[in-house]
Amino acid sequence: MAKKAVASLQKGGGKEFTKVIITTKSAKTGAYTFKEGMIHNDKVKDAVAAAQK
């Protein structure tokens, strides 16, 4: 099943997207949380800049 998902991303417009994983540290517990998503290549820098604020 994973092969179908990978193959579908390689055809057509799938190459225009990047998987972004943003790590944040909780001030209360000190644990790390991860937020991931598929973002268009044109908006990757904006998403990373917004996460660093």
Side-chain angles (χ1 to χ4, degrees):
M1 189 163 159
K3 290 182 180 179
K4 283 185 176 181
V6 172
S8 66
L9 287 175
Q10 292 177 353
K11 295 179 182 176
K15 292 183 180 180
E16 297 175 1
F17 291 90
T18 303
K19 183 175 185 179
V20 177
I21 302 172
I22 299 171
T23 307
T24 57
K25 185 174 182 180
S26 172
K28 188 174 184 179
T29 62
Y32 287 97
T33 58
F34 303 95
K35 182 179 177 185
E36 61 181 72
M38 297 296 286
I39 299 176
H40 196 272
N41 289 341
D42 296 338
K43 298 181 181 181
V44 170
K45 290 184 181 179
D46 297 334
V48 173
Q52 290 180 351
K53 288 184 178 182

